[in-house]
Amino acid sequence: MTERKRDRPWLMRTYAGHSTAEASNELYRRNLAKGQTGLSVAFDLPTQTGYDPDHVLARGEVGRVGVPVSHLGDMRRLFQDIPLEQMNTSMTINATAMWLLAMYQVVAEEQGADVTKLQGTTQNDIVKEYLSRGTHVFPPGPSLRLTTDMIAYTVNHIPKWNPINICSYHLQEAGATPVQEISYAMSTAIAVLDAVRDSGQVPPERMGDVVARISFFVNAGVRFVEEMCKMRAFTRIWDKVTLERYGIDNAKQRRFRYGVQVNSLGLTEAQPENNVQRIVLEMLAVTLSKDARARAVQLPAWNEALGLPRPWDQQWSLRIQQVLALESDLLEYDDIFAGSHVIEAKVDALVAECLAEIDRIQEMGGAMAAVESGYLKSQLVASHAERRARIESGEEKIVGVNVHQGTEPNPLTADLDTAIMTVDPAVEQRVVEALGDWRDRRDEPRAQEALAALKKAAAGDTNLMPATLECARAGVTTGEWAWALRDVFGEFRAPTGVSSAPVAVSAEEGSTLAAVRRKVSATAEELGCGKLRLLVGKPGLDGHSNGAEQIAVRARDAGFEVVYQGIRLTPEQIVTAAVAEDVHCVGLSILSGSHAELVPDVLERLRRAGAGDMPVIVGGIIPNADAEALRAAGVAAVFTPKDFGITEIIGRIVDEIRTAHQLDPLEVLA
């Protein structure tokens, strides 16, 4: 019997970056030495949203969820002693993708690299930012132009680079079903390809080169049979769209190319050791089927629902990949699902439903129109609400959360304060000071000339990449580049989807929601205010709005009047709105780790405004020690991912309002 040659493993990455460029560079070099075969760069929120570290909205966010890259000097230090010509680098960056790619190219040139050999990916899918992740800056039209210009530039100058990966990962995090995840991602891809085709920057005969460099970044949940079928459906639909809509005859160019990070939404704070087997199952969904196998895989760490993973935690996730690729026989076989009537039936059903939804979106005018109308966002909010309702009712079981909750003491979390990595708060001030030094040392006239040229290009219709490259070389900062484009393009606040989301849980007599409704109504009557009013606020730059939206929807359904203005607000704006709307409670949602800075600021501003007795509750990924500090500072209640019962949370909010107004406890039972 002839032994079959093993397939080459997928690229193995770890999504990483924190504190400073120097600290992240050290982490990258350590990970590469452990056998990681590609880099995946996490940028902090100011970098992602086009703010310098000294901007008011950057407060508490610098270096928290990624590395701050404010200018070319930071990019040099980030990749010091890492030969970029030999590296495959994924950069999770969207609104400022052109800027980061320009700096990456300039650093590669300084290293002496041949830029035509650079390999990697910029995420650069702005649609999913409007729908789920929230790091958008510019309106849809200008955002699509930036993406189009990048694609045209890379096809001609960096031909091995993937200038965009259509990102459905965050759609699933925001509640998307498999049909929605495929349909919305494909609709985005159609919008991008149509824009490139219609721009005239790429001749028709080279559209195959464009299609060949479009990649996807997907999510894989724990329902791994369904997830694997989803990937096969993705493959089939992409082949159909690129052949029929764009006439790409070369089957190799039509190949569906994707990377994956498995689902972080399903990672639990309760019994976090169970996350390891979840991660393994989710990885199998995108590796078992050879015909739909991922090109690159990055796995979250077991403790990401607790806080920032340590290097050891990330190493554990890397070893999971290495054991599967190197010890198992997975890579020795052709597709093991070929001919399975069960798999084929599921894939056929997914394809049919997705094509129908894609057609529906095209009838609306395409993905951009469906974003601006709020259709896509409202569908996701509704789907997410339905999922949360299934968890709360016990219909959807999560081990350790709503079933099998008893547990032995966990040695991994015996000391929660050391079970995660923390970022030194002093890092932010050092980064801000270094930014000032950079501005002082640069050639100021050249920087200002570069910014003026960028604005002129933005006001016209020339490709923006050359002007952006000159900005990078001239020492322009991330915030300056983004503000120059804000001046021309304006900014965009995406629809929240809250007002149009339907009631997702039963309000029948005897239900928990019905009981909470009675509690809300009785409290409002006692206070003589008509309706209780709740302000849901997202201070800082954290764009993960799923939790805030679900609280807003459930509070509305329980009878509250809800004030929710979306993401990216300063503490000052939140307090001003709370006082102006005369709300009874302020709820703050922060998942980026900036709670220690921003929540006390909100509390102090409320006191100065004469509203110090207004209860403030906080939700997010908040370590125990931080939660204790917040309560000591005056926060009424802290909720973390283990608190999955949203209706019960609304009931707790009513209790805090009653306490603040010195009303007797009110028991309203279902």
Side-chain angles (χ1 to χ4, degrees):
M1 177 177 168
T2 304
E3 185 175 346
R4 187 183 180 279
K5 183 180 177 182
R6 288 174 62 90
D7 291 330
R8 188 171 64 179
W10 52 89
L11 276 172
M12 298 183 191
R13 291 178 169 140
T14 302
Y15 182 53
H18 66 86
S19 302
T20 64
E22 293 86 350
S24 298
N25 172 263
E26 181 184 349
L27 177 63
Y28 296 161
R29 288 188 284 111
R30 283 211 311 269
N31 285 347
L32 291 169
K34 292 173 183 174
Q36 188 173 297
T37 53
L39 291 177
S40 180
V41 182
F43 295 100
D44 73 354
L45 289 173
T47 304
Q48 292 186 50
T49 52
Y51 294 101
D52 283 332
D54 56 357
H55 191 277
V56 62
L57 274 170
R59 182 183 173 197
E61 306 281 16
V62 177
R64 288 281 178 183
V65 299
V67 56
V69 177
S70 305
H71 48 71
L72 185 60
D74 287 341
M75 190 66 93
R76 287 183 187 127
R77 287 188 287 274
L78 185 62
F79 293 109
Q80 187 173 334
D81 300 322
I82 298 175
L84 298 186
E85 189 174 304
Q86 302 169 29
M87 191 52 53
N88 192 304
T89 304
S90 170
M91 294 193 284
T92 301
I93 199 77
N94 295 279
T96 55
M98 179 180 285
W99 174 240
L100 273 296
L101 178 61
M103 289 193 287
Y104 188 87
Q105 177 182 325
V106 173
V107 169
E109 290 170 347
E110 292 176 347
Q111 289 184 357
D114 178 353
V115 298
T116 65
K117 295 181 179 178
L118 294 180
Q119 295 186 70
T121 304
T122 30
Q123 192 168 100
N124 203 20
D125 173 1
I126 202 66
V127 170
K128 72 99 172 59
E129 296 301 319
Y130 301 134
L131 298 180
S132 53
R133 179 62 187 86
T135 65
H136 54 275
V137 177
F138 313 111
S143 294
L144 188 56
R145 176 187 171 185
L146 284 165
T147 300
T148 300
D149 284 358
M150 272 188 68
I151 292 171
Y153 177 84
T154 54
V155 164
N156 290 311
H157 300 280
I158 318 178
K160 294 186 177 181
W161 192 266
N162 300 326
I164 185 171
N165 59 19
I166 309 298
C167 184
S168 69
Y169 175 86
H170 298 91
L171 301 181
Q172 186 179 119
E173 298 273 292
T177 65
V179 169
Q180 289 173 328
E181 188 178 343
I182 296 171
S183 302
Y184 299 175
M186 283 294 166
S187 296
T188 299
I190 289 169
V192 168
L193 287 174
D194 281 0
V196 173
R197 179 194 61 196
D198 298 342
S199 74
Q201 295 191 66
V202 178
E205 64 272 15
R206 295 205 63 194
M207 278 300 292
D209 294 332
V210 173
V211 168
R213 301 320 306 177
I214 303 293
S215 63
F216 289 75
F217 186 69
V218 304
N219 202 329
V222 76
R223 291 170 57 82
F224 79 98
V225 174
E226 183 176 63
E227 294 293 313
M228 188 266 292
C229 291
K230 179 184 77 180
M231 299 322 307
R232 294 171 80 91
F234 249 133
T235 299
R236 192 182 300 179
I237 293 171
W238 181 242
D239 186 78
K240 176 182 176 66
V241 167
T242 53
L243 176 63
E244 296 180 2
R245 188 178 183 95
Y246 302 104
I248 309 303
D249 295 324
N250 186 331
K252 186 176 180 181
Q253 292 178 324
R254 297 198 309 270
R255 186 179 301 160
F256 184 74
R257 302 156 60 251
Y258 78 98
V260 65
Q261 172 161 318
V262 306
N263 193 304
S264 294
L265 175 68
L267 301 183
T268 62
E269 180 184 6
Q271 300 181 26
E273 66 276 10
N274 295 335
N275 294 331
V276 175
Q277 49 265 37
R278 292 184 179 110
I279 290 167
V280 171
L281 284 171
E282 291 163 352
M283 178 179 61
L284 291 176
V286 294
T287 54
L288 279 178
S289 172
K290 180 182 177 181
D291 291 347
R293 183 171 295 152
R295 295 291 190 89
V297 176
Q298 58 192 47
L299 304 180
W302 69 279
N303 56 348
E304 284 194 16
L306 306 177
L308 188 65
R310 301 157 298 186
W312 183 87
D313 307 312
Q314 293 186 328
Q315 175 183 293
W316 192 359
S317 290
L318 176 62
R319 295 292 186 248
I320 291 173
Q321 295 200 58
Q322 291 169 331
V323 168
L324 179 65
L326 302 178
E327 295 187 26
S328 83
D329 59 352
L330 174 69
L331 298 176
E332 296 174 11
Y333 295 93
D334 289 329
D335 196 285
I336 60 177
F337 297 100
S340 165
H341 65 275
V342 174
I343 298 298
E344 286 305 312
K346 178 65 175 176
V347 173
D348 287 344
L350 283 172
V351 168
E353 289 182 70
C354 290
L355 290 176
E357 180 64 9
I358 291 168
D359 287 343
R360 186 176 299 114
I361 293 168
Q362 291 307 304
E363 289 170 4
M364 295 177 185
M368 292 300 182
V371 165
E372 292 178 303
S373 71
Y375 169 76
L376 296 184
K377 183 66 173 179
S378 64
Q379 293 295 108
L380 290 178
V381 171
S383 292
H384 199 186
E386 290 167 6
R387 176 182 180 272
R388 291 298 302 247
R390 291 196 301 272
I391 294 171
E392 290 180 64
S393 70
E395 178 187 348
E396 185 170 323
K397 293 177 172 52
I398 301 178
V399 174
V401 174
N402 62 0
V403 66
H404 304 307
Q405 294 165 275
T407 180
E408 295 293 327
N410 183 347
L412 291 173
T413 58
D415 182 357
L416 275 175
D417 292 338
T418 62
I420 57 172
M421 192 174 81
T422 57
V423 175
D424 182 356
V427 163
E428 183 166 318
Q429 185 56 39
R430 292 199 296 270
V431 171
V432 169
E433 290 171 357
L435 174 64
D437 292 341
W438 173 266
R439 290 195 186 116
D440 290 341
R441 293 196 312 269
R442 72 184 179 185
D443 182 341
E444 190 64 24
R446 184 182 178 186
Q448 295 306 319
E449 288 173 11
L451 286 167
L454 176 66
K455 285 187 179 182
K456 183 178 179 181
D461 58 3
T462 59
N463 190 297
L464 291 171
M465 192 70 185
T468 296
L469 282 163
E470 173 53 22
C471 283
R473 296 180 179 117
V476 165
T477 67
T478 297
E480 291 169 340
W481 178 87
W483 278 108
L485 294 183
R486 284 182 176 100
D487 286 346
V488 179
F489 296 150
E491 290 190 78
F492 185 72
R493 292 194 70 79
T496 66
V498 168
S499 61
S500 57
V503 176
V505 295
S506 171
E508 297 172 358
E509 190 59 37
S511 69
T512 304
L513 180 58
V516 172
R517 275 183 174 176
R518 289 198 297 274
K519 197 182 227 184
V520 170
S521 177
T523 303
E525 186 174 343
E526 287 183 63
L527 293 176
C529 61
K531 271 195 169 188
L532 294 185
R533 291 178 297 281
L534 171 68
L535 184 144
V536 178
K538 291 226 23 104
L541 296 176
D542 170 35
H544 286 101
S545 58
N546 303 331
E549 289 157 0
Q550 294 307 310
I551 290 291
V553 168
R554 194 65 55 83
R556 178 206 67 187
D557 295 344
F560 273 87
E561 179 182 326
V562 177
V563 179
Y564 177 56
Q565 298 170 322
I567 63 173
R568 217 176 299 167
L569 300 170
T570 65
E572 181 180 13
Q573 290 171 320
I574 288 171
V575 169
T576 298
V579 172
E581 298 287 347
D582 192 23
V583 301
H584 296 93
C585 181
V586 172
L588 303 177
S589 170
I590 307 176
L591 283 83
S592 63
S594 59
H595 49 264
E597 287 278 342
L598 299 180
V599 175
D601 192 2
V602 170
L603 292 171
E604 177 58 28
R605 289 177 185 276
L606 283 171
R607 292 187 190 106
R608 292 205 302 263
D613 57 349
M614 184 183 295
V616 174
I617 64 165
V618 181
I621 298 176
I622 301 174
N624 277 355
D626 287 3
E628 291 173 9
L630 291 177
R631 283 189 285 264
V635 168
V638 176
F639 299 101
T640 65
K642 70 178 184 297
D643 301 301
F644 67 92
I646 298 181
T647 305
E648 287 79 3
I649 290 174
I650 304 304
R652 280 284 309 279
I653 291 172
V654 182
D655 293 339
E656 297 300 338
I657 292 172
R658 296 186 66 84
T659 298
H661 287 271
Q662 301 179 334
L663 299 178
D664 292 334
L666 180 65
E667 294 296 333
V668 181
L669 302 177

